Amino acid sequence: MTETTRRWLFQKAPIGENPGPQHFTLDTQPVAEPGPGQVLVETIYLSVDPAQVSWMQGIADYMPPINPGDVMLAGGAGRVRASNHPRFKVGDMVTGTLGWQEHMLCDGYDLTGQPLRVVPADAPLALTQSVLGMTGLTAYVGLFHIGRIQAGDTVLVTGAAGAVGSIVGQLAKIAGARQVVGVAGGPDKCAWVTDTLGFDACIDYKQQNVAEGLRTTLKAPVDLFFDNVGGDALDAGLGAIAHGARIVVCGGISGYTSTPRGPRNYLNLILRRARMEGFIVLDHADLFPEAVRRLSRWVRDGRIVYNLDIVDGFEQTPDALGGLFTGANRGKRLVRVAADPTA
């Protein structure tokens, strides 16, 4: 019997609703054998990220457009199943933009035209999609190079229980921050942020007005504000900034599935002589080797802890993405497509 493989094909962007199976079509086709210069990769993990919605909406110019009928884009990690390519041998673990498909046949480049990267043999594969992958790199670059954290800073992190935010707060403590305050949704998440991740405090936006929570929690105005949320949380943070504050705009999950609005407290940037800057981590690839070395050491030393929120089953991928917008995840969400031989 011919072996088959499945793909989730993009059909339409979510507008005013969370992403889900209704935005994709599940396609089945035969597994192809690699021709000359080609490699066949079996997907093991797919990264699930809020920014994927902006890719679907065509507003992220750092990613190629996704048209109806295309394989949905996503970072991933997998194993070389068969190879006629000189750079890859059977059994190699690789990462890249593999997309929502159980197998990828390519010429050594991923769906965005970037070379597939071979993972060192001793590296846990799941971590290449989390703390030692784009998640950790985003936290590192945003905090150290965009935010320019300094010892003694008061740091605010929105989306503190999410993939990036959970790493940012820990890095801030490593860098000598005076106080690190997070914003998250629900008592369980806030308890995890403080008790496990080591934040000094966490404001539950589902139970408390964030602006009021900041007034009663902060020991000093915010020197560095790392925002992953936008909307009301961004407004509240801008109302609490110090003179010369640095605001790092990493994401805006509150506006990905609804019409985003601009901040009302932006005049505080003038009054506090503050700097607000957005960034795309891919623009800082020159920093990646340094970041991975330092992140790896801190993970080994136990100074960074992480949570992998793993959803099993390729068929669950659309729902796994939609769950990010209902607060269903804690830490980094991955879809496990096949058994991980490195686990």
Side-chain angles (χ1 to χ4, degrees):
M1 180 179 294
T2 301
E3 184 181 5
T4 59
T5 187
R6 294 175 294 175
R7 308 180 299 168
W8 281 105
L9 306 181
F10 171 70
Q11 292 303 323
K12 61 179 181 177
I15 304 297
E17 62 178 341
N18 291 340
Q22 67 273 25
H23 300 107
F24 306 93
T25 298
L26 186 60
D27 170 76
T28 301
Q29 62 179 13
V31 175
E33 290 295 325
Q38 290 186 316
V39 59
L40 178 67
V41 177
E42 178 185 21
T43 303
I44 295 175
Y45 290 110
L46 289 173
S47 179
V48 184
D49 302 287
Q52 286 172 283
V53 171
S54 68
W55 306 350
M56 295 167 69
Q57 294 168 341
I59 60 176
D61 63 0
Y62 61 93
M63 294 293 283
I66 311 175
N67 300 307
D70 289 347
V71 172
M72 177 60 194
L73 296 178
R79 179 180 67 90
V80 173
R81 169 93 169 262
S83 178
N84 288 320
H85 194 290
R87 281 206 305 122
F88 304 98
K89 65 181 184 296
V90 173
D92 279 348
M93 299 297 171
V94 296
T95 66
T97 304
L98 305 185
W100 286 10
Q101 51 188 344
E102 292 179 301
H103 297 84
M104 182 179 72
L105 182 68
C106 67
D107 58 358
Y109 294 84
D110 66 18
L111 295 181
T112 66
Q114 296 300 309
L116 290 177
R117 300 177 298 279
V118 176
V119 178
D122 59 346
L125 198 59
L127 297 195
T128 68
Q129 302 303 299
S130 54
V131 65
L132 301 183
M134 286 301 167
T135 297
L137 293 170
T138 300
Y140 183 93
V141 169
L143 191 74
F144 287 101
H145 293 272
I146 307 300
R148 300 174 189 171
I149 189 169
Q150 302 171 26
D153 275 351
T154 295
V155 179
L156 173 64
V157 184
T158 57
V164 172
S166 61
I167 303 299
V168 169
Q170 296 179 80
L171 293 179
K173 296 295 287 186
I174 290 172
R178 174 190 179 192
Q179 184 185 26
V180 179
V181 176
V183 178
D188 290 343
K189 284 189 175 182
C190 282
W192 181 65
V193 165
T194 55
D195 299 347
T196 300
L197 303 183
F199 286 56
D200 297 293
C202 186
I203 297 165
D204 181 356
Y205 72 82
K206 293 185 177 180
Q207 301 291 331
Q208 184 179 16
N209 177 276
V210 175
E212 177 59 31
L214 292 175
R215 282 192 287 271
T216 59
T217 301
L218 289 170
K219 297 177 181 178
V222 173
D223 301 297
L224 198 163
F225 175 16
F226 197 107
D227 183 43
N228 296 295
V229 174
D232 292 338
L234 174 58
D235 267 337
L238 288 176
I241 57 176
H243 283 268
R246 293 90 67 204
I247 298 91
V248 179
V249 183
C250 178
I253 192 170
S254 69
Y256 286 152
T257 57
S258 60
T259 302
R261 61 169 179 80
R264 291 187 295 263
N265 276 337
Y266 71 94
L267 288 180
N268 243 14
L269 297 172
I270 300 172
L271 300 175
R272 300 290 180 262
R273 291 78 159 174
R275 175 174 60 85
M276 185 172 180
E277 183 176 352
F279 75 105
I280 298 296
V281 69
L282 297 175
D283 295 338
H284 302 273
D286 59 310
L287 301 174
F288 290 0
E290 162 203 315
V292 170
R293 283 195 301 272
R294 299 183 78 186
L295 290 166
S296 298
R297 182 173 72 249
W298 290 328
V299 169
R300 285 195 306 270
D301 294 345
R303 302 185 72 184
I304 294 178
V305 297
Y306 55 87
N307 187 67
L308 299 179
D309 180 14
I310 295 178
V311 177
D312 278 303
F314 180 72
E315 65 280 358
Q316 303 298 325
T317 308
D319 286 326
L321 177 59
L324 296 181
F325 298 88
T326 64
N329 69 300
R330 178 188 295 179
K332 174 61 182 178
R333 173 159 283 192
L334 301 173
V335 172
R336 183 161 44 204
V337 179
D340 178 0
T342 71

